Amino acid sequence: MLLLLLFCLVAVSGLSAAEKEVRYLTFSVKNRFDFFVRDLRLEEVELKIDGRPVDIGFLGSKDIDTAYVILLENSPRTAKFPVSMPQHGRVNLIDQMRYQMSYNFFGPLVRSGSVLLGEFFRRVKILHDFSSREDALVNALHNLSPNFNSIDMDSTRVGHALGRGVDLLKQRPEKRKVLVLFTASIDRESYNHLDEYKDMLRLTDVELYAITSAPRFAGGSQYTFQEKMSGYFLRQLAAETSGYAYVIKEFVYYDELFTDLVGRMTNTYTIGFYIYPGPEAESHKISLKINREKCKVNCRKSLVF
């Protein structure tokens, strides 16, 4: 009888061990002066899932291997002219983004991982596959041709680009996965499926950083529905992750925006822990506490497993 009991205990123990999975959670911490905290220790971090404490296996920061996917909208909305000519007041938005990304943007990213660069309009086109070579990525950016030829202004599918970016990252082995999405504004079809895209982000460990050129205060009849709802749409999605959504016109200078973007992406922590998925995927509430005075944490609010 005793041998049978021991056999059952070993069997149950082995089953539990086989069912557990490793998950990673990325977050950032700012102090009371709104500066990123860079000296966090493992014993200062407390994680709870559905109100129950969870043991944290490790805490990493700059040494976390990361996969980045950067997708830029290259459409008649961001490329109104064949060539930008600032002296004549003709500047493509896509060229402004390319200029900012050509200097000190890829360097901090490739030091911690690899970057895929792509563009999207009707579909996603990869300009350069995952690489840790800054010069190769900058060269691919310079070779991008503004897509001003099409007369169809309504074929941009932001949701499709979002889904494609997540798919590219899901296949990667890195512990941390980051999607950077630049778009003029969202489209109505994508907006109608907002809840589905939020569910998609809950199911993954992907962080979303989104940038839109829609107006900051898009009131009045002179703005389209898409322009009015872009900030709301992207902030709702970014809030499901540990990322952030930007409205370009909230910044005086473009370099200010990109400095903030690089700072947010590179001043993060990643923790690893075990989860025990049930027979059906369910949403679980995440609570992350930092045992340090007057700190603000940016972290996803839930995980689905």
Side-chain angles (χ1 to χ4, degrees):
M1 187 69 180
L2 179 59
L3 289 175
L4 179 60
L5 178 60
L6 287 173
F7 177 81
C8 292
L9 288 174
V10 170
V12 171
S13 177
L15 180 62
S16 298
E19 288 180 345
K20 68 182 181 182
E21 296 179 4
V22 178
R23 287 294 290 266
Y24 301 101
L25 181 68
T26 299
F27 62 96
S28 60
V29 184
K30 284 189 173 184
N31 61 23
R32 60 178 178 172
F33 302 108
D34 207 35
F35 293 132
F36 285 106
V37 173
R38 297 183 174 90
D39 60 347
L40 199 64
R41 301 185 303 274
L42 179 59
E43 57 267 24
E44 295 180 289
V45 184
E46 292 183 13
L47 173 67
K48 292 183 179 180
I49 298 180
D50 293 334
R52 294 187 292 272
V54 175
D55 291 332
I56 300 173
F58 77 94
L59 170 71
S61 181
K62 299 293 185 181
D63 57 340
I64 296 296
D65 52 328
T66 306
Y68 298 91
V69 168
I70 300 173
L71 299 179
L72 310 175
E73 180 184 334
N74 185 12
S75 75
R77 303 193 306 177
T78 61
K80 296 181 179 180
F81 315 105
V83 178
S84 289
M85 302 178 67
Q87 66 273 29
H88 298 297
R90 298 167 57 180
V91 180
N92 286 325
L93 189 58
I94 186 67
D95 291 330
Q96 290 177 308
M97 296 298 103
R98 287 200 296 164
Y99 177 79
Q100 293 296 328
M101 293 173 64
S102 296
Y103 303 95
N104 301 320
F105 179 76
F106 292 114
L109 306 187
V110 298
R111 281 195 286 271
S112 63
S114 57
V115 180
L116 179 146
L117 180 65
E119 63 176 358
F120 68 94
F121 177 27
R122 295 187 181 93
R123 62 182 181 86
V124 173
K125 176 184 176 182
I126 296 177
L127 302 174
H128 199 290
D129 209 344
F130 285 99
S131 173
S132 296
R133 289 184 51 193
E134 181 180 3
D135 60 334
L137 293 164
V138 171
N139 187 58
L141 196 63
H142 288 170
N143 290 335
L144 181 151
S145 298
N147 187 7
F148 71 97
N149 291 316
S150 176
I151 61 173
D152 186 359
M153 302 286 286
D154 299 319
S155 294
T156 305
R157 296 292 178 258
V158 178
H160 177 266
L162 177 69
R164 178 69 174 131
V166 170
D167 285 342
L168 289 167
L169 286 166
K170 284 167 61 177
Q171 304 169 14
R172 299 295 298 181
E174 289 86 351
K175 294 182 179 67
R176 184 178 174 223
K177 303 173 178 65
V178 178
L179 173 60
V180 181
L181 186 75
F182 162 67
T183 181
S185 65
I186 58 99
D187 57 283
R188 189 178 287 271
E189 180 181 343
S190 298
Y191 179 82
N192 291 338
H193 294 87
L194 173 60
D195 289 338
E196 295 175 28
Y197 293 125
K198 289 169 70 173
D199 289 340
M200 176 186 69
L201 290 171
R202 291 191 193 106
L203 284 165
T204 69
D205 297 327
V206 174
E207 303 163 48
L208 173 64
Y209 292 87
I211 306 168
T212 177
S213 63
R216 183 180 182 184
F217 302 109
S221 58
Q222 68 270 33
Y223 298 110
T224 65
F225 172 84
Q226 292 89 327
E227 291 174 321
K228 292 177 180 178
M229 302 309 297
S230 287
Y232 170 80
F233 178 87
L234 295 175
R235 283 181 173 132
Q236 286 286 305
L237 294 179
E240 296 296 336
T241 75
S242 304
Y244 194 77
Y246 294 90
V247 175
I248 290 177
K249 291 182 173 60
E250 292 180 350
F251 293 82
V252 178
Y253 303 107
Y254 282 96
D255 60 347
E256 180 187 2
L257 184 154
F258 277 89
T259 298
D260 189 87
L261 173 61
V262 172
R264 288 182 183 274
M265 289 194 293
T266 56
N267 287 286
T268 62
Y269 295 92
T270 299
I271 55 176
F273 52 93
Y274 285 115
I275 59 170
Y276 297 86
E280 295 185 3
E282 297 179 352
S283 180
H284 301 270
K285 183 179 179 181
I286 294 291
S287 174
L288 193 68
K289 179 182 178 182
I290 305 300
N291 293 318
R292 189 178 292 195
E293 187 178 0
K294 296 182 179 178
C295 284
K296 296 180 293 184
V297 180
N298 180 30
C299 175
R300 64 168 62 232
K301 305 298 186 293
S302 65
L303 286 175
V304 176
F305 57 86

